[in-house]
Amino acid sequence: MDRRKLMLLAAVIVAALGTVLVFLYVQGADSRAAAKFDHVEVLRAVAMIEPGETIDAAAAGGKLQLQPVPADAAMQNVVSTIDDLVGEAANTRIYPGEQIITDKFGDAGDASLLPIPEGKMAISVQLTDVSRVAGFIKAGSRVSIFVNGTGKAVVDGTVSEDEPITRLLLPDVTVIAVGSTTPTAPGEGAVVEALPATILTLAVDQKEAERVIYSQQNGDLSFALRNSDSEVTASDSGVTIDNLFK
């Protein structure tokens, strides 16, 4: 076989091999695309579901909807029907758009609907959105709590017992639930709330609970949202007019 024929044969083999490789690539791409756009139907929340609200009540209130999601985006333990959750209640707030998973529901009569850490108890405080970082505090947030009230201060060398003071009350507290309150309806003798109020439920020990309750009854609380890198240090005197600019 002369050189010319050998070159022609080699060209045919290379072309055939290239065709096979292109075919295999296209087939693989089609399979990957099909897998990417393969959808399954799951139940999703279309309205807020509050802690303690039963799945039955949520369904009856139109808060659930069967929607398609990409198969690889479906969460573990997601459900497509409420059949396995009938009679159970949400143990945390479920926001619109969330997939309904079994982990977030439990017995409606269970006292542990709130995720209270071991050794802690749950107490609630009511705050305006301004005092709770403009509404950014959610269940699971970590916060520092400050108290604004009156206390002992030295002003111009004179000790006063009733000077305004702001101090750190608790440096690191976990919020376990957040719920909105209903503003007072206008009417004769009624006072309409100027700002929306929210109830924050905190996980605290006994001493912390006593401090929060006392401070709420005798002063004003403000919450600061924090993360693992936040540096919070208590001061002995807090901030008064005497040291405000020092």
Side-chain angles (χ1 to χ4, degrees), residues 7 35 43 47 77 87 89 91 98 102 106 115 127 129 131 138 155 159 169 178 182 186 199 205 229 237 243:
M7 292 180 64
L43 275 181
N77 298 328
N91 53 30
E98 282 194 59
T102 57
L127 300 172
D129 275 353
S131 298
K138 309 295 182 185
V155 181
V159 178
L169 182 65
V178 179
T182 303
I199 295 175
D205 59 27
D229 297 321
S237 59
N243 62 15

Side-chain angles (χ1 to χ4, degrees), residues 212-235:
V212 170
I213 294 170
Y214 178 88
S215 298
Q216 187 177 32
Q217 294 296 320
N218 296 279
D220 296 313
L221 298 179
S222 292
F223 283 39
L225 187 61
R226 59 169 298 159
N227 59 26
S228 58
D229 297 321
S230 298
E231 296 183 4
V232 183
T233 304
S235 62

Side-chain angles (χ1 to χ4, degrees), residues 72-176:
D72 57 359
M75 297 182 65
Q76 187 176 8
N77 298 328
V78 69
V79 298
S80 57
T81 174
I82 68 170
D83 291 351
D84 293 335
L85 298 175
V86 170
E88 296 190 1
N91 53 30
T92 186
R93 175 167 284 100
I94 299 174
Y95 294 90
E98 282 194 59
Q99 298 179 28
I100 303 300
I101 58 176
T102 57
D103 307 57
K104 292 191 176 183
F105 287 84
D107 292 339
D110 193 347
S112 62
L113 285 175
L114 285 174
I116 304 174
E118 185 175 353
K120 300 281 188 175
M121 64 181 73
I123 64 170
S124 295
V125 297
Q126 181 171 306
L127 300 172
T128 64
D129 275 353
V130 173
S131 298
R132 70 177 189 102
V133 199
F136 286 102
I137 295 178
K138 309 295 182 185
S141 295
R142 292 169 56 198
V143 297
S144 296
I145 305 177
F146 295 83
V147 59
N148 307 285
T150 56
K152 181 186 292 185
V154 179
V155 181
D156 296 330
T158 302
V159 178
S160 172
E161 296 287 345
D162 55 359
E163 287 297 323
I165 184 172
T166 298
R167 289 190 64 179
L168 176 69
L169 182 65
L170 297 174
D172 193 354
V173 176
T174 299
V175 177
I176 56 177

